[in-house]
Each structure stands twice: as C-alpha cells, then as structure tokens.
Amino acid sequence: MRRSHAALLMAGLGAALIAGPLTVPAEAATTPGNSCGPAYDSKKAEYPWVVDHKVGVGKDRHATITMKAGWINNVKVIWGKIDGAQIGDGVSLRWSDNGGTSHWNCGRPANKGYATISSGGDQYTLAVPVTSARRAFKVCGRDKSANKVTCTSQWVTFG
C-alpha cells in the first residue's frame, strides 16, 4: 500500500474533508462546464472507502445509496452506487462548483444523468476525478415506480 493511501485510510475515512495529495490529470483540470469527464470504471478503483450513505430510496425502504472514493492511476475519484433496489431504479453522482447552489448529474454514460439498474439490484455510476472546480459531491437514487429521488444528506467537499 502506498504511504499516502495508507495515511488516508488510517485518518478517518468517513470524514467530510479528505486530506491528502490531489493528482489531477491534465484533461480533467481543463474539463469545461458541466462535464463529468474524463470518467473511469469505478470497479477498477484502488483502496475504495465509503464517504456517505443513506438507506431508503423513495418507497424502496431497503435500497441504499452510497458515495465512494478511491484512486485510479493515482487520481482521486468519486462515484455512486445503489443497491437493494429494483430494475429501472438508478443512481446519480451530482457535483457542484458552487457548494450545491447548482449541480450536474453524472451517471452511466457519464453525462446521461442516472445509472439505471437493468438486472439484479445494484448499479454504479462511472467514477469522476476530483478537480479544483469539481470538489463538492452528493449521491442521489431514483425510485422509478414512485418517481421519487432521494439524496445523501449533505454536499461532501474534497480538497
């Protein structure tokens, strides 16, 4: 385990403010506007940890939405997951550059809103890198049958 990753894991993984080195790929630093790119396969993340979660999505009281963070190629990435939900339900990673006054949804594919469950009971969004502009995140789940959206309770800021 790399020293910086070990330090992060040992220093309170659930904390809202995550300290540590921030490596941003050149293309991510210049990503314009409301883009979620570049996006990564969240299942390839190393040293993943849970940042925030909420149980209950719409009427799906047992469904859980989770915000996770990890590292892909030394880049800090964030993604969302829904599980215990129904086919047609989905999950979205929202990011904001102004503390949540406005936000953009990242799903699968990255800029298409929700990652929707097509079989089984879980789904992940793509992972997006934390950048100087894309620092505040929230995860939201959609209960399709009830047409309700439920989000984690707060914007989590990474630096």
Side-chain angles (χ1 to χ4, degrees):
M1 185 180 293
R2 280 174 252 162
R3 175 171 266 153
S4 63
H5 295 146
L8 279 173
L9 290 171
M10 305 288 252
L13 301 178
L17 294 174
I18 308 290
L22 176 61
T23 305
V24 179
E27 67 273 18
T30 60
T31 301
N34 65 355
S35 173
C36 297
Y40 300 91
D41 181 352
S42 55
K43 292 180 181 180
K44 294 183 178 180
E46 297 178 316
Y47 315 112
W49 69 91
V50 172
V51 177
D52 199 2
H53 76 282
K54 184 173 186 103
V55 177
V57 177
K59 292 183 179 179
D60 291 341
R61 303 227 185 275
H62 299 292
T64 301
I65 50 175
T66 306
M67 181 189 310
K68 291 188 168 189
W71 300 88
I72 297 178
N73 299 327
N74 292 319
V75 175
K76 187 186 296 183
V77 294
I78 311 298
W79 67 95
K81 179 184 179 187
I82 187 170
D83 66 301
Q86 306 295 317
I87 292 174
D89 294 347
V91 62
S92 170
L93 176 69
R94 296 182 177 184
W95 70 268
S96 178
D97 56 4
N98 58 19
T101 302
S102 60
H103 69 271
W104 294 270
N105 290 344
C106 302
R108 186 180 294 271
N111 292 324
K112 297 298 180 189
Y114 286 89
T116 303
I117 298 172
S118 58
S119 66
D122 68 334
Q123 182 61 274
Y124 296 82
T125 67
L126 292 171
V128 299
V130 176
T131 68
S132 58
R134 190 186 309 128
R135 299 178 9 170
F137 296 89
K138 183 184 274 198
V139 172
C140 299
R142 181 185 70 197
D143 177 351
K144 183 180 179 186
S145 65
N147 196 27
K148 299 226 183 241
V149 174
T150 303
C151 299
T152 51
S153 57
Q154 62 184 346
W155 287 95
V156 177
T157 303
F158 293 84

